[in-house]
Amino acid sequence: MSLLCARPGPMLLCRIVLFFVPCVGQSGWLYLRTLPDPVCEGDILILQCQGWKNTALSQVQFYKDRKLLRNPKAKWILHMGTATLESSGQYSCTGKVTFTLHLGTQRSKMTMVQVQELFPPPVLSAVPSPELREGSPLTLRCQTELHPQRSASRLLFSFHKDGRTLQNWGPHSELCLPEAREGASGLYWCQATPEGSRVQKQSPHLEVRVQAPVSQPLLTLRPRSTGLAVGNVVELLCETQNGSPPILYSFYLDEKILGNHSVPHGGAASFPFTVMSEQDAGSYSCQAENNVSKETSEPRTLSLDGLWGLPTLTSSPWFVPCLSVSLLGVLVIATALVAYFRPWRKTGPIPTQNLPPAPGGEQHPLYGNVTWPNENEEDDIYSSMIIVPKKSEAGPAESASGTWAGKHMPGHLEARGPRWSIRKHLQKPSLATPSINSLAPCKESSQREDSS
């Protein structure tokens, strides 16, 4: 409302002029419109900034989330291009109303734009399973659905594997493989798009594994299967010509498992061992197994020949030290035995033994005792003679003894207290079992001993 006054004459005339403005406030002069409504992926998004009752606008600008967008080519329309999910946000516009420039720049209310997903990304599945045996049928299924407001459109599908196209765009959402081979293993994915639309979406990758069964493995014994000895190293080599990895090889001796080895990328497996005893001889076999099947090889017989135990000792890393220590021990024992049973001796005739006479000049008898060993034995024998003095009235008599020791050494006289003993080495006579019990004077006995 405004007051106008005029002075045409003496009287002052005043008129009241009323202007009606919208009651919605300053932002009511502008509002923002989005096309289409609702907005889906692939639609061309258009922003329109309009004045109250289609009032003409000037200096129009558009904003998204309070950030200035590019200047429109038209005065109040902005083409945003193909809408995507990232196009969602809060939009507004500013401008000046042409017939009320004194009001200044006006701003519209915020308009929320939510871009609807046209269809979710497809999902690729394998029927009956992504892991199957070679020769089994396989069906790949690409599944997705359009937005309910766009359900009238038709979806097109394509299938791909390892960077190459298996089936180009078409209405079929399934791809069938009647007999899958091992070469069909790999990474698969599919794509979907509405007919006539620029929106294309791809499924996640799906790994398909077609497993080929293993063939009967071949067992080889290296270096050979016969003529082996204890201590030899034998290698069992097992290999199957066909079969999808990973392959597990197991080794057996007389149906008792020895060990196993997994081959993640296919090929052969070996099992080396050292022949420890005759128990390692027998029937050997191996088994190949994967996720589909398992097969057992023909048995191979390992036989041993040669000395037992020696190859094991010689093949041991402790053989040389043990042999050296053993030889040294034998040498020490042999030296001790020789020193004990064969002492050093003098060469030459046996010296005459002069025994002291018995008290009173009497000759005392000599007691001798000789025992021969068995006739078949070739060992030397020894005799022992003891001089027993006769007791006298004056007191106990002194005794003398003479001793010969050694196989070929002369008699040796050794004093051992009040008694004398004589030991002499004798050769075995021709008689089978002689026995001597004699009494002789001490001098005669001594002389006989000296003469011998």
Side-chain angles (χ1 to χ4, degrees):
M1 181 181 66
S2 62
L3 179 64
L4 299 177
C5 298
R7 192 187 295 260
M11 295 184 63
L12 181 64
L13 298 177
C14 294
R15 288 187 305 173
I16 298 176
V17 179
L18 298 177
F19 293 94
F20 295 93
V21 298
C23 299
V24 295
Q26 185 179 4
S27 61
W29 287 101
L30 303 178
Y31 68 92
L32 182 67
R33 182 181 179 188
T34 60
L35 297 174
D37 188 20
V39 183
C40 291
E41 290 178 300
D43 293 340
I44 302 300
L45 179 61
I46 300 175
L47 303 180
Q48 290 183 353
C49 190
Q50 295 179 343
W52 180 62
K53 291 186 178 182
N54 294 325
T55 305
L57 302 176
S58 63
Q59 302 180 11
V60 176
Q61 292 181 327
F62 293 89
Y63 297 83
K64 178 187 177 185
D65 299 329
R66 299 185 182 278
K67 293 181 180 180
L68 179 64
L69 299 175
R70 65 183 184 274
N71 292 326
K73 294 181 180 181
K75 291 184 177 181
W76 54 83
I77 298 177
L78 178 62
H79 292 268
M80 295 292 293
T82 302
T84 62
L85 295 179
E86 289 75 19
S87 301
S88 299
Q90 291 183 338
Y91 291 84
S92 63
C93 65
T94 61
K96 291 184 177 181
V97 180
T98 303
F99 70 90
T100 56
L101 296 178
H102 63 281
L103 296 178
T105 302
Q106 302 294 308
R107 179 183 296 274
S108 69
K109 291 183 177 180
M110 291 287 184
T111 301
M112 183 63 190
V113 176
Q114 184 66 47
V115 179
Q116 303 292 323
E117 188 177 36
L118 184 59
F119 62 95
V123 176
L124 183 64
S125 59
V127 180
S129 171
E131 294 188 2
L132 66 159
R133 181 169 181 162
E134 189 178 39
S136 301
L138 174 65
T139 301
L140 298 175
R141 218 172 260 174
C142 190
Q143 295 176 317
T144 187
E145 291 183 356
L146 283 170
H147 190 276
Q149 295 183 356
R150 305 295 174 89
S151 58
S153 300
R154 185 175 65 162
L155 283 172
L156 302 178
F157 301 90
S158 63
F159 293 86
H160 309 267
K161 172 185 179 292
D162 296 333
R164 58 190 181 92
T165 301
L166 301 178
Q167 176 181 298
N168 212 340
W169 296 108
H172 303 290
S173 61
E174 293 184 354
L175 177 64
C176 297
L177 301 177
E179 293 183 359
R181 297 298 175 186
E182 188 178 7
S185 300
L187 293 177
Y188 289 80
W189 72 90
C190 69
Q191 288 181 326
T193 181
E195 189 173 16
S197 175
R198 297 181 179 180
V199 179
Q200 296 181 0
K201 294 187 178 181
Q202 178 179 310
S203 70
H205 289 78
L206 174 67
E207 183 179 6
V208 175
R209 299 178 59 188
V210 181
Q211 299 282 331
V214 295
S215 59
Q216 185 180 30
L218 175 64
L219 178 64
T220 305
L221 275 66
R222 295 180 178 178
R224 58 189 180 277
S225 60
T226 59
L228 298 173
V230 174
N232 291 148
V233 177
V234 180
E235 181 184 15
L236 304 178
L237 183 65
C238 188
E239 183 176 13
T240 178
Q241 297 298 324
N242 298 317
S244 299
I247 299 176
L248 178 66
Y249 290 97
S250 302
F251 298 88
Y252 297 86
L253 169 59
D254 296 330
E255 299 183 356
K256 293 181 180 179
I257 188 167
L258 300 175
N260 50 45
H261 183 68
S262 179
V263 181
H265 304 292
S270 63
F271 182 82
F273 69 95
T274 302
V275 179
M276 303 300 296
S277 66
E278 59 182 354
Q279 294 181 354
D280 292 331
S283 178
Y284 286 83
S285 62
C286 70
Q287 184 183 80
E289 179 181 2
N290 64 0
N291 295 333
V292 180
S293 65
K294 59 182 177 180
E295 296 289 341
T296 304
S297 69
E298 294 292 336
R300 296 293 303 275
T301 301
L302 186 146
S303 60
L304 302 183
D305 190 14
L307 296 176
W308 299 97
L310 182 60
T312 302
L313 180 60
T314 57
S315 63
S316 173
W318 298 98
F319 170 70
V320 175
C322 291
L323 181 60
S324 302
V325 173
S326 300
L327 293 177
L328 181 61
V330 171
L331 182 60
V332 172
I333 294 174
T335 304
L337 292 176
V338 170
Y340 180 79
F341 290 106
R342 191 173 182 179
W344 299 101
R345 70 179 188 278
K346 292 182 180 181
T347 60
I350 300 176
T352 303
Q353 302 296 330
N354 296 323
L355 299 178
E362 298 181 0
Q363 301 295 328
H364 299 286
L366 175 66
Y367 296 93
N369 186 9
V370 178
T371 303
W372 301 101
N374 194 300
E375 180 181 4
N376 297 327
E377 297 181 1
E378 298 297 334
D379 299 335
D380 297 332
I381 60 173
Y382 296 85
S383 65
S384 177
M385 287 172 279
I386 303 174
I387 301 174
V388 180
K390 184 178 179 180
K391 294 182 180 181
S392 62
E393 295 177 359
E398 295 180 358
S399 62
S401 65
T403 302
W404 289 295
K407 188 174 182 181
H408 298 290
M409 66 182 298
H412 176 71
L413 190 62
E414 181 181 2
R416 297 187 181 180
R419 296 184 53 159
W420 293 83
S421 63
I422 301 175
R423 295 179 180 176
K424 179 182 178 183
H425 174 72
L426 301 179
Q427 299 293 333
K428 180 179 179 182
S430 59
L431 298 178
T433 54
S435 177
I436 301 177
N437 292 311
S438 60
L439 297 174
C442 293
K443 286 186 177 181
E444 294 181 2
S445 175
S446 175
Q447 292 175 0
R448 289 179 183 176
E449 294 292 332
D450 292 341
S451 62
S452 61

